[in-house]
């Protein structure tokens, strides 16, 4: 199994630029989660989808962040415009159904200068 | 806001020593999970404890869920260098099983 696939693995961008992070969940999984990990705040849930529908986006920091899941095999997390405080590792995770074990991708390390 | 505090934050021990990591909250969770994360990778689930007072063993790792389902502990016996990593507890709540992660304990085991 390929596991959860995230791209890019590393992203360095300048403040004000648009950033798009991508995730391919495990085939057959119905729930998808986006997390952000920083030293200061730890691992935080940003948003999760069930059957491609956003269920809870209360963790999204502000309107600069948006997430989509156009189909069962692809999701994006977009930051526009990006700011230095957005620098973090962003993880995507998927689970078979809500409540099942979550499998995490390798993460995207984002640096905004 | 549900908070999960882990202690200690950092732990550096020698191979063969025993250690305990604590995960505490003022909130009640339906279940609690423990993850291990290695550098450059995502967290990997080790165990889920569901019932208050439950104890689960995974080789040299022993996990316990508090009676009130607000706290948990992870005990490692005879630590090995392969146990090195970031240990995260995560409280599970709600019908969607939303995870709230703890602050993390970074463990280093040296020869």
């Amino acid at each position: 199994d390929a596991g959860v696939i995230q791209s890019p693995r590393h992203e360095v961008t300048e403040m004000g630029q648009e950033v798009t992070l991508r995730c391919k969940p495990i085939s057959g999984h119905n729930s998808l989660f986006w997390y952000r990990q920083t030293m200061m705040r730890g691992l935080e849930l940003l948003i999760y989808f069930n059957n491609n529908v956003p269920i809870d986006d209360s963790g999204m920091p502000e309107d600069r962040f948006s997430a989509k899941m156009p189909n069962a095999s692809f999701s994006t997390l977009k930051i526009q415009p990006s700011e230095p405080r957005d620098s973090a590792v962003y993880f995507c995770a998927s689970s078979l159904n809500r409540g099942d074990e979550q499998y995490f991708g390798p993460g995207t390390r984002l640096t905004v200068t | 806001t549900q908070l999960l505090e882990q202690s200690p934050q950092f732990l550096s021990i020698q191979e063969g020593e025993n250690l305990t990591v604590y995960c505490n909250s003022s909130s009640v969770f339906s279940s609690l999970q423990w993850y291990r994360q290695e550098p450059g990778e995502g967290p990997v689930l080790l165990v889920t404890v569901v019932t208050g007072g439950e104890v689960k063993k995974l080789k040299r790792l022993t996990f316990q869920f508090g009676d009130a389902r607000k706290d948990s502990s992870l005990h490692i016996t005879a630590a090995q260098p392969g146990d090195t990593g970031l240990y995260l507890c995560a409280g599970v709540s709600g019908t969607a099983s939303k995870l709230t992660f703890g602050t993390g304990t970074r463990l280093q085991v040296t020869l």
Side-chain angles (χ1 to χ4, degrees):
Chain A
D1 286 338
V4 175
I5 299 173
Q6 290 187 246
S7 65
R9 291 296 311 273
H10 302 273
E11 176 81 36
V12 180
T13 190
E14 291 184 346
M15 184 175 72
Q17 296 297 307
E18 177 180 298
V19 175
T20 299
L21 311 181
R22 297 173 176 78
C23 174
K24 177 178 168 55
I26 293 173
S27 178
H29 281 195
N30 296 312
S31 295
L32 183 140
F33 307 80
W34 281 101
Y35 292 88
R36 177 173 68 177
Q37 186 174 38
T38 62
M39 288 294 292
M40 291 298 295
R41 300 177 66 88
L43 196 58
E44 305 172 284
L45 177 66
L46 300 177
I47 184 171
Y48 77 88
F49 296 83
N50 194 57
N51 293 324
N52 312 340
V53 176
I55 303 299
D56 184 347
D57 64 355
S58 60
M60 296 285 262
E62 48 197 275
D63 292 345
R64 297 184 297 106
F65 286 69
S66 63
K68 294 182 179 180
M69 192 165 186
N71 56 62
S73 60
F74 184 66
S75 177
T76 59
L77 178 67
K78 185 178 293 186
I79 308 173
Q80 166 63 19
S82 58
E83 297 182 4
R85 61 191 168 120
D86 301 331
S87 297
V89 181
Y90 290 82
F91 287 101
C92 175
S94 70
S95 66
L96 188 59
N97 291 299
R98 280 192 289 188
D100 291 332
E101 177 181 355
Q102 294 183 26
Y103 294 83
F104 284 76
T108 294
R109 181 173 294 278
L110 173 65
T111 303
V112 183
T113 60
Chain B
T1 303
Q2 297 172 316
L3 294 174
L4 278 165
E5 295 287 336
Q6 287 184 237
S7 61
Q9 278 189 289
F10 302 96
L11 194 54
S12 181
I13 61 172
Q14 290 189 321
E15 182 181 20
E17 292 185 33
N18 302 331
L19 67 117
T20 301
V21 176
Y22 299 93
C23 173
N24 295 294
S25 174
S26 58
S27 302
V28 176
F29 293 100
S30 57
S31 62
L32 196 134
Q33 300 179 340
W34 283 93
Y35 291 78
R36 181 169 66 210
Q37 183 179 13
E38 298 189 19
E41 299 180 9
V44 176
L45 180 65
L46 296 174
V47 77
T48 301
V49 285
V50 179
T51 307
E54 181 177 4
V55 176
K56 277 191 175 179
K57 291 191 175 183
L58 186 66
K59 297 183 180 178
R60 294 176 294 99
L61 279 60
T62 302
F63 305 85
Q64 184 163 8
F65 201 13
D67 291 341
R69 305 209 314 277
K70 293 183 180 181
D71 54 85
S72 180
S73 64
L74 158 60
H75 182 79
I76 301 179
T77 303
Q80 298 178 359
D83 296 327
T84 294
L86 177 67
Y87 287 82
L88 296 161
C89 63
V92 183
S93 58
T95 54
S97 298
K98 187 172 175 179
L99 293 181
T100 300
F101 279 88
T103 49
T105 295
R106 195 166 296 278
L107 171 66
Q108 182 170 21
V109 182
T110 56
L111 294 170

